[in-house]
Amino acid sequence: MVERCAFVFPGQGAYLPGVLGRLAADEPLVAETLRELDAVAVRLGRAAPSRLLLDERAPALEELVREAPADLHVALFAAEMALFRLLTERHRLTPDVLLGHSFGELVALTAAGALDLADGLALVAARDDAFAAQPPPPGGMVALELSAARTAALLAGLGEWGVSVAADNSPRQCVVSGPAEDLERVRRKAEAVGVRATALSVPYAFHHRLLAAVASEFTRRAAALHAGPTRYLLHSAILGRRVDDGDTVAELVAAHLVRPTRFTDAVRLLHAEGVEVFVECGPRGVLSGLVTATVPGVRALAPLRRRTSGPEITDEIQTLTIHQFVPPPHPPRAAPAPTPSLNTGPDDSPTHDEVVSVLRTLYATALGYPPEVLTADADLEADLGVDSIKQTELFAQAVTRFGRTLPTEGTRLTSHTTLDALADLLPTLPPRPSSAPGTGARP
């Protein structure tokens, strides 16, 4: 018997440092998706998301929320789209419907086909740019262990009109948002009557009228992106209905920051329509817990609940019996492009542009980035997330490749962080003493 399935896309908290490290090593499609999104992110002036998703030592969620929220949002989008593509293209799983939660609705729009991968990430960037252009007043969010109905009654009873329900997550969990001082009063009063209340690590009062100006700016910026018809059925927990054309997409964008997320109602509706399996397309598995708390007895899978490998995900999803589950053979790994040779002899010295070209190929191959991302003036650390240790390692390879030698005391690279600067530095280094420049050592 074929089970109806919903893919769900989580929001702000769905981040785990290095969550795709093992998976990208096993699955070429995951690595390819990250390379594509790295290139798009750099074109948009954002940091490459792979630096957060491949390295377990990357900054934690709380640090990104505080210091680099735009980087966090790009990483969320990249992780969710990489898993979605793996499930649908590599494993041929066909969901009956897609459902996003808060920020996850923007990812679900892209997964459904309303936007292509580049425009989907551009939509995420437009959202952050809207916050920069229209900074909202101070605010925040608090999670309460209550239903949405009881939470609304509590707020009314407390006379806290400035605080409103932001997310109805499950029958026993609700999130409220509003001005910081009002929220703190609600938190204290809720705990005084025995209701567990937890302040969330978010910078603003999402899904609240405080963000009206930001929402207007976001809508204006998003209008430049073309939204087409969806390829997958898409249900919005914010609009409370299907999203299937450009007009509905524009309405969702306008409502995204100011209207509440009714996730509980959406899960119950989809279950009533026959959905028995929910697969979470994002790290940590937070939504899976909310789904099972809302509709006991349904199956909820979270393939990225932890850092996992390709074979582990395959074993988990093979238990599913949903539409078109026909896993194809594992695609072969693409052979790495050969590093071009370059004569560096005294009679045929390379030009500056030729040195940059060879460095671009060498660095792109080692980092797994598309060559076009490595522009001559891109800062390797600030723009591409390549730390100083990795830069030193790659430069040492380049020095060897060009038949040069690092001085005994080493070479500081702090002022040479672009390919342009490295191409200027290389000719100033002494030749390798074991052989003449441009010739190999003879036996």
Side-chain angles (χ1 to χ4, degrees):
M1 178 180 176
V2 174
E3 300 172 294
R4 286 195 173 182
C5 174
F7 280 12
V8 292
F9 296 81
Q12 182 94 355
Y15 167 74
L16 182 64
V19 69
L20 297 182
R22 296 174 63 194
L23 193 58
D26 293 335
E27 297 286 358
L29 182 57
V30 172
E32 175 191 328
T33 302
L34 291 182
R35 285 194 296 270
E36 289 180 30
L37 288 172
D38 281 349
V40 175
V42 171
R43 289 201 300 270
L44 293 170
R46 299 306 197 261
S50 60
R51 70 189 181 94
L52 298 176
L53 299 175
L54 298 180
D55 187 352
E56 295 182 18
R57 300 165 299 175
L61 174 65
E62 293 75 15
E63 181 180 346
L64 291 176
V65 169
R66 185 177 62 253
E67 304 291 342
D71 291 356
L72 170 63
H73 300 150
V74 170
L76 294 176
F77 180 90
E80 294 180 30
M81 283 305 302
L83 180 57
F84 175 77
R85 291 185 67 182
L86 180 70
L87 296 178
T88 57
E89 298 178 27
R90 158 82 165 89
H91 291 289
R92 304 289 176 87
L93 301 185
T94 302
D96 293 278
V97 62
L98 310 183
L99 172 66
H101 183 288
S102 189
F103 175 86
E105 293 229 24
L106 303 185
V107 190
L109 276 175
T110 307
L115 300 165
D116 63 22
L117 202 61
D119 279 349
L121 192 55
L123 182 66
V124 172
R127 180 178 181 267
D128 285 308
D129 290 341
F131 275 98
Q134 296 286 346
M141 306 180 83
V142 169
L144 302 174
E145 288 193 353
L146 284 177
S147 68
R150 292 186 65 193
T151 296
L154 175 67
L155 295 176
L158 295 176
E160 294 290 355
W161 293 357
V163 177
S164 60
V165 172
D168 176 6
N169 286 339
S170 76
R172 294 187 179 180
Q173 187 189 102
C174 187
V175 177
V176 295
S177 64
E181 292 183 2
D182 297 13
L183 273 179
E184 179 56 23
R185 284 198 306 272
V186 168
R187 189 191 65 77
R188 291 198 308 267
K189 292 174 181 177
E191 290 186 337
V193 296
V195 176
R196 185 175 179 181
T198 305
L200 302 184
S201 179
V202 295
Y204 306 115
F206 292 103
H207 304 290
H208 190 281
R209 58 186 177 277
L210 283 176
L211 300 189
V214 185
S216 178
E217 179 68 15
F218 180 34
T219 302
R220 185 186 69 79
R221 291 172 180 269
L225 303 172
H226 174 70
T230 59
R231 294 192 302 272
Y232 292 94
L233 190 64
L234 174 62
H235 184 87
S236 169
I238 291 177
L239 298 181
R241 64 178 189 276
R242 303 292 195 254
V243 176
D244 53 14
D245 57 31
D247 290 340
T248 321
V249 169
E251 185 180 355
L252 175 57
V253 168
H256 171 70
L257 293 171
V258 292
R259 287 176 56 174
T261 294
R262 301 289 182 183
F263 188 71
T264 302
D265 290 345
V267 170
R268 284 174 171 160
L269 175 63
L270 297 184
H271 180 250
E273 293 179 343
V275 172
E276 294 289 343
V277 179
F278 291 81
V279 178
E280 186 164 354
C281 289
R284 288 193 177 275
V286 174
L287 293 188
S288 298
L290 299 180
V291 167
T292 54
T294 301
V295 188
V298 300
R299 297 184 63 194
L301 273 67
L304 282 184
R305 189 181 300 276
R306 56 183 176 78
R307 300 178 184 95
T308 190
S309 66
E312 288 171 322
I313 284 187
T314 298
D315 290 344
E316 183 172 11
I317 65 176
Q318 279 180 339
T319 64
L320 296 174
T321 54
I322 71 176
H323 292 298
Q324 298 180 16
F325 179 61
V326 185
H330 196 293
R333 289 182 182 272
T339 304
S341 61
L342 183 65
N343 186 347
T344 57
D347 298 328
D348 190 17
S349 298
T351 66
H352 176 86
D353 288 345
E354 287 173 334
V355 175
V356 169
S357 178
V358 173
L359 288 174
R360 178 180 293 115
T361 300
L362 175 65
Y363 278 51
T365 300
L367 295 169
Y369 285 177
E372 59 268 21
V373 170
L374 289 151
T375 57
D377 59 351
D379 189 289
L380 293 170
E381 182 164 11
D383 296 333
L384 301 176
V386 185
D387 62 40
S388 57
I389 295 175
K390 188 65 174 178
Q391 287 187 52
T392 301
E393 174 190 327
L394 290 173
F395 187 65
Q397 294 179 29
V399 167
T400 300
R401 173 71 185 83
F402 280 90
R404 302 286 175 168
T405 303
L406 284 173
T408 305
E409 68 275 11
T411 298
R412 293 180 59 84
L413 299 180
T414 52
S415 59
H416 301 85
T417 60
T418 68
L419 297 188
D420 251 341
L422 293 174
D424 288 336
L425 175 62
L426 270 165
T428 69
L429 301 177
R432 192 167 54 227
S434 59
S435 61
T439 64
R442 296 183 182 274

